[in-house]
Amino acid sequence: MRKLILLLILLMQTAIGLQAQTRYVGYTTDDSISVKGGAFGQAGTYTIGALATPQMLSAYEGCRILGLRVAAALPLGRTRTFIYQADGNSLTPVVEQRQRLYEGWNTVLFNGDGYTISGSETLFFGFDYEETDEMVNNSEGGLCGVGDEVDGGFYAYGDFGSGLGLYQLTGIGRLCVQLIVDVSSLPQYDLDLSEMLHGFKYKKAGENIDALCTFTNVGLNAIDSYQLGYQIDDGPAVLQDFSKPLPEGREEAWLFTCTLPADMAVGMHRLSVFVSTVQGEPLHERSKNDTLTASFAVYEQSMQCDKVYLEIYTDQTSPYVPYLDEAIKELKQGASADMTAIVSVHRPGTPLAIDESAYLHELYAYTWPTFTINRAYFPGESHVAYDVNDYLPVLPPSMTAGIIGDMIIQDYATPSFADISLQADYSPSDRTLSVTATGKLLPEAQAIYGDLALTLILTEDSVMSQQSVYSTTSQFTTNVQDYKHDDVLRAYMTPPTGATLHAADGTYTATFATTLDAAWNPARMHLTALLTKAVDYVSNENLPDVDIVNATTLYLGQLPAILGITAAPASVERPAAFFTLDGKSVSPSQLRHGIYVQRTAGGTMRKVAVK
């Protein structure tokens, strides 16, 4: 009798849960499975799932998550399903429930009221997956995937050699796991904009902007007529009518071209895309999901940047770091070497970290190691920083160096609006370093950025300290105590976000001094200078505005006072050379009509026109 009562209660809960109008939300929204039998290859219990971002959840603000759908390639027994709130690598439990998972799709309805979506959170949702010895021996696991891999589509939480955190997984596409959301509170007809791509930040007046906007029917019913529009600054709106049927939950894209006015003022401008009407009814009040805006800069004059700034967010506890270090050594010998200023910023809590740089990890590093190039956002990417961890163990260092080098060469062509020159003096008696920075500012600098700020960074090569290293022989990670670290951020001579420059007649001069730590070897140190927009602090809100305007470096070992103390490492004298704009080396006899990058014998890079 007890079993019958329990069964009836279970059926009642299921019926109550399914009375609501529901929608499957995630990186898969139907019953499709394209990969079955995915496995880790090592027995153990793994906490796996997907990440639902605010961009994905904002349309469901106020809706309740009733449960999860999970697909399994094999019966997985009774296990824990869960939802966590994710803040970086920190997880806070929201709801969990244990239930037996069978082969195929499983519906897990949470007891109680589930979870109400705020629309601004990031959720990690999934289940505990136990991989047995039998699965390993049979080379067949219990995981199911679908489609191509995407950011957020498949993560594991644990310690996989780089500390406890979330790690993106590859190999089976997107994990087959979905949120079951009660959408009965949504409006009958509603259209939300989700993403807009409009190309690089810097434009010229009269230029065409080819933009792409994605939008989704987030209402309860299908839509067969709607109107979208775009607007530059406060200019006239351009509207386009659509009559293509759009089922509920369907995402589509709008590709449009807008031409900037030929007399557009130099400075920052705004492109807005908005929903005008849905089913013939105008939207009188635009919500955060009905309008997207993007800023861009218009310029007339520009100058060649001195160097592209490569900022690496590294971690002494990550065994992936040595792979990237080898690639950076290769990079320093390649076509982009003289174009590049490199600084390695160590993860907070590790021996080589400094407190002043912690904010960079909070803003940019979503895993370690990662890197930014000029701290600039590339349109369409989920982050400003780049992650090559998936390739580091499998690609030769030269190939990884080539990937990074191509990105540097691309950014080298980005227009700059201020230059920078460094002079330095060193006093061996009291280890005082004095630096004077001078430069010219184009009118664009003030119009686009307002005030500029100068950041001076001291780095040191060949610093001996610990590092986690993966041994291919033992197949274990070991902690090497005398690992040689290069480009180590030692100190800032200015505030980390820069000292505001005071320009007069389009030029500036700024002088700073510091005392070098007794443990540092000045003959192995570099000074890197950055020009950025002057801001009081950097946050996620103004992150796109603080890309690097220009960068340069000065090798302290070349200063006479330091050369007199100790012999500096011999500099590499590279012969004069020519490169195409995509970084391919060409001999003088191969030059044809066009634009090339010339590297002089002294290491200076400049563009030249061959007629």
Side-chain angles (χ1 to χ4, degrees), residues 134-180:
E134 182 181 3
M135 294 179 187
V136 175
N137 293 335
N138 293 337
S139 299
E140 183 181 10
L143 301 180
C144 291
V146 63
D148 298 326
E149 293 160 358
V150 297
D151 286 345
F154 187 11
Y155 275 80
Y157 181 74
D159 187 345
F160 296 90
S162 297
L164 189 64
L166 286 165
Y167 294 82
Q168 189 161 2
L169 303 180
T170 60
I172 66 168
R174 291 159 276 172
L175 184 67
C176 287
V177 58
Q178 304 164 351
L179 296 169
I180 304 174

Side-chain angles (χ1 to χ4, degrees), residues 82-357:
F82 57 78
I83 297 176
Y84 286 98
Q85 282 199 18
D87 181 9
N89 283 314
S90 176
L91 299 181
T92 302
V94 171
V95 61
E96 63 178 44
Q97 187 163 308
R98 296 186 65 85
Q99 184 164 318
R100 187 173 296 277
L101 299 182
Y102 299 93
E103 182 178 351
W105 281 98
N106 298 262
T107 297
V108 180
L109 294 175
F110 296 138
N111 296 323
D113 294 329
Y115 170 76
T116 301
I117 298 171
S118 72
S120 61
E121 69 272 73
T122 297
L123 298 179
F124 177 54
F125 60 99
F127 60 101
D128 287 341
Y129 162 67
E130 182 182 359
E131 188 155 302
T132 64
D133 290 326
E134 182 181 3
M135 294 179 187
V136 175
N137 293 335
N138 293 337
S139 299
E140 183 181 10
L143 301 180
C144 291
V146 63
D148 298 326
E149 293 160 358
V150 297
D151 286 345
F154 187 11
Y155 275 80
Y157 181 74
D159 187 345
F160 296 90
S162 297
L164 189 64
L166 286 165
Y167 294 82
Q168 189 161 2
L169 303 180
T170 60
I172 66 168
R174 291 159 276 172
L175 184 67
C176 287
V177 58
Q178 304 164 351
L179 296 169
I180 304 174
V181 180
D182 174 3
V183 295
S184 55
S185 61
L186 294 180
Q188 295 294 311
Y189 302 103
D190 195 12
L191 201 64
D192 274 2
L193 305 179
S194 51
E195 186 177 25
M196 175 170 58
L197 305 180
H198 68 293
F200 287 102
K201 176 178 179 178
Y202 301 98
K203 320 278 185 187
K204 282 201 169 185
E207 182 178 330
N208 284 343
I209 296 180
D210 293 319
L212 178 73
C213 177
T214 56
F215 55 92
T216 306
N217 178 3
V218 296
L220 294 178
N221 297 325
I223 298 171
D224 54 27
S225 67
Y226 47 98
Q227 188 180 67
L228 304 179
Y230 70 83
Q231 185 178 28
I232 298 176
D233 296 331
D234 295 323
V238 178
L239 303 176
Q240 182 169 336
D241 292 311
F242 296 84
S243 57
K244 179 181 178 180
L246 193 65
E248 60 271 22
R250 174 73 61 83
E251 181 181 75
E252 291 288 351
W254 177 33
L255 179 64
F256 62 92
T257 298
C258 59
T259 301
L260 302 180
D263 59 350
M264 197 168 201
V266 169
M268 294 302 298
H269 295 272
R270 183 184 71 254
L271 173 64
S272 302
V273 180
F274 56 90
V275 180
S276 179
T277 65
V278 177
Q279 291 299 99
E281 294 294 327
L283 296 181
H284 299 290
E285 295 183 6
R286 296 178 187 168
S287 71
K288 63 179 180 180
N289 299 320
D290 297 325
T291 302
L292 293 177
T293 61
S295 297
F296 62 94
V298 170
Y299 70 97
E300 292 180 359
Q301 305 177 74
S302 65
M303 60 178 69
Q304 177 63 57
C305 72
D306 184 51
K307 291 182 184 293
V308 173
Y309 181 55
L310 175 62
E311 189 165 68
I312 300 169
Y313 313 107
T314 190
D315 180 5
Q316 290 176 258
T317 68
S318 169
Y320 287 96
V321 164
Y323 294 105
L324 181 58
D325 287 348
E326 288 300 315
I328 297 301
K329 290 177 184 177
E330 294 274 352
L331 179 74
K332 291 177 180 178
Q333 302 301 319
S336 61
D338 296 308
M339 305 177 187
T340 313
I342 305 174
V343 174
S344 287
V345 187
H346 283 259
R347 186 177 183 178
T350 57
L352 293 178
I354 66 172
D355 292 341
E356 294 86 349
S357 68

